[in-house]
Amino acid sequence: MGIRELARLLNLSTYTVSRALNGHADVNEETRRRVVEAAERVGYSPSQSGRSLREGTANAVAVVLSFDRADQRVPFFMMIGRGIQAGLRPRGYDLVLHFIAPGEDSLSQVRHIVERRLADGIILAETLPDDFRVSYLVEKSFPFITLGRTLAGDTHPWIDLDFESAVAQSLSRLTSFGHRRIGLATGSPRLMFDQIVRESYTREMRARDLGPDPMLMLEGPPDQAGGQSLTERFLALAEPPTAIVFSHESSATGAYRGLADAGLQPGRDVAILSCTADSSTAQFLVPSLTCFGLDGLHLGQRLAEELLALIPARGVPPSVHEVQSLWPWTLIARESDACQPRTVPVEG
C-alpha cells in the first residue's frame, strides 16, 4: 500500500499523512496516532526513492569489487559483506554491490556512482598500488574507506589484513620444521596485497639469513591453473623449494594438482601454506590446507562503522577521524605443511 491508498483509507490528504508519518509538529496528536496505527496495521512503508530525493541522499553504501575470474575469494567477500550489512542496517543504510566486469574500467564505475549519487559512501576492495580510484575520491571529498592499503591519495581511511604478520607466522612455522628453501607464489604486481606479501617475505627471509633467492619468488595468475603452473616451475628448478607459501588460496589449490602430477604430496614431500582466510575448500582438501582465521563478520561491521562516521548525517558534520589499521588473523595449522624438508626429485 502506497501513501495515496493510506490517505484514502483514513480520509485524509496525502500531505497530512506524510507530515504525520514524519513527525511534523503542525499535525495534532490524535491524527498522528491514527495515521501511525493505520500504517502499522496495513504494513505501509515509505518510498525510499522519495525520501532520498527529499533529503538529497541515497541512504546506501556501495561496495566495489572487481573479479577477473570466478575464484575462491567470493566466500571471503560475502562474509565481509554480511558484516557490512549488519553495520549499516541500524543506521538506515542499504548495501549495494557494484561488480567490475573483466576488462571494465573500475575508475569509470566509481565516477558513475559518485556523479549520479548512487551511494552516500563507498567501500573499495582489491586496492592497487597506484589506485586512481582513491585519488579521485580524495579529490572529490567523497566519503570512502578501503579494504586494503594503497600508495595513492596521500592519507586516506583504510583497514587491511595484517599480511606482514601472516608472512612472519608462516615462515616461523616452516623454519621450525627445518625448511630453508622456501618458495613464494604470488599473483601479478597489480594488487597491493601481493606487493605487501612479496616485500614481507623478502624482509623476513633476510632476517633469518635465508636469502631470499629470486629464483624462489614466482608470479602467476591467481587461480588453480596458475597455481599448478607455478608449482611445476618450482619443481623444474635445479634446487626446488621444500616448502611454498601462496598468497592466493586458488593458487594453493592448484598446487595440489601440480604436485600430484609429479608423484608428490603436500605435507609429505613439499610443505604448502596459504596466506589467505580460512574456507571450506581449505578445510576439505586432502591434506587440509594450513591458512589463517579471522573474524570477517566483525571486520565488515568495522568497515561500515568507520565509513558511516565519514558521511555527513542530517545536520551533523562528519567525523574528521580517519582510521588506518591492520586487522589481526591467526595461523590455522593443518596437515598441508606439517613435514620436515626432504629432497624433492628434479625433473629430467
Side-chain angles (χ1 to χ4, degrees):
M1 177 177 288
I3 193 170
R4 289 185 177 84
E5 290 78 8
L6 181 61
R8 278 197 294 270
L9 176 67
L10 294 166
N11 198 27
L12 295 171
S13 69
T14 56
Y15 175 82
T16 300
V17 171
S18 175
R19 296 186 73 78
L21 290 171
N22 286 284
H24 288 275
D26 58 349
V27 179
N28 68 62
E29 191 58 35
E30 175 61 23
T31 300
R32 188 193 325 280
R33 183 187 61 77
R34 284 182 58 212
V35 171
V36 171
E37 289 180 353
E40 292 177 350
R41 187 169 62 250
V42 301
Y44 166 79
S45 61
S47 167
Q48 184 62 56
S49 60
R51 175 176 293 177
S52 297
L53 286 172
R54 290 192 303 274
E55 297 175 350
T57 65
N59 293 306
V61 164
V63 176
V64 180
L65 297 172
S66 60
F67 291 104
D68 292 333
R69 55 190 58 79
D71 62 24
Q72 292 165 336
R73 292 176 297 169
V74 174
F76 169 74
F77 283 118
M78 292 303 101
M79 175 176 58
I80 302 295
R82 285 177 53 215
I84 294 172
Q85 184 169 268
L88 295 177
R89 277 182 172 172
R91 295 282 296 276
Y93 285 85
D94 292 320
L95 169 64
V96 181
L97 291 176
H98 287 260
F99 289 102
I100 308 301
E104 185 178 1
D105 181 8
S106 59
L107 176 57
S108 296
Q109 181 73 349
V110 170
R111 281 176 173 158
H112 178 73
I113 295 169
V114 173
E115 292 171 1
R116 296 193 61 185
R117 198 69 189 191
L118 300 178
D120 301 309
I122 292 177
I123 298 175
L124 285 179
E126 301 170 310
T127 52
L128 314 176
D130 295 317
D131 204 316
F132 296 109
R133 302 171 302 174
V134 170
S135 301
Y136 169 78
L137 291 169
V138 169
E139 178 186 350
K140 291 294 183 180
S141 298
F142 192 84
F144 79 101
I145 188 171
T146 62
L147 176 57
R149 285 160 277 177
T150 174
L151 304 177
D154 298 323
T155 60
H156 68 277
W158 55 263
I159 299 176
D160 198 7
L161 301 180
D162 192 350
F163 290 104
E164 291 90 343
S165 172
V167 172
Q169 291 181 65
S170 300
L171 295 182
S172 292
R173 176 171 166 82
L174 293 172
T175 54
S176 73
F177 290 137
H179 294 281
R180 296 295 179 266
R181 286 191 62 75
I182 303 172
L184 176 69
T186 62
S188 70
R190 188 180 68 86
L191 291 176
M192 185 67 190
F193 88 87
D194 272 319
Q195 180 171 311
I196 293 171
V197 168
R198 280 192 297 275
E199 292 172 353
S200 300
Y201 166 87
T202 299
R203 183 171 55 251
E204 293 293 334
M205 290 290 281
R206 284 175 178 161
R208 292 167 171 77
D209 295 324
L210 297 177
D213 182 349
M215 297 293 291
L216 295 179
M217 300 173 65
L218 301 182
E219 300 172 356
D223 54 21
Q224 287 91 341
Q228 178 181 353
S229 176
L230 288 177
T231 302
E232 292 168 351
R233 289 168 60 189
F234 277 126
L235 296 178
L237 294 174
E239 292 184 68
T242 61
I244 307 173
V245 175
F246 288 84
S247 65
H248 293 262
E249 182 185 314
S250 297
S251 300
T253 304
Y256 279 60
R257 176 62 180 270
L259 290 174
D261 288 348
L264 304 174
Q265 179 179 313
R268 185 193 68 188
D269 304 299
V270 180
I272 298 294
L273 186 151
S274 179
C275 288
T276 53
D278 191 22
S279 69
S280 58
T281 299
Q283 296 169 28
F284 285 97
L285 284 171
V286 179
S288 56
L289 179 64
T290 294
C291 55
F292 287 80
L294 79 159
D295 190 343
L297 186 65
H298 283 93
L299 171 55
Q301 290 177 319
R302 177 77 184 282
L303 283 166
E305 292 165 0
E306 295 292 347
L307 177 60
L308 291 175
L310 301 172
I311 297 175
R314 297 165 185 86
V316 179
S319 167
V320 295
H321 170 65
E322 289 189 354
V323 63
Q324 294 184 338
S325 66
L326 295 176
W327 193 264
W329 51 0
T330 306
L331 187 140
I332 300 176
R334 295 199 176 107
E335 295 81 17
S336 67
D337 66 338
C339 63
Q340 295 182 341
R342 56 187 293 180
T343 303
V344 178
V346 178
E347 290 188 356

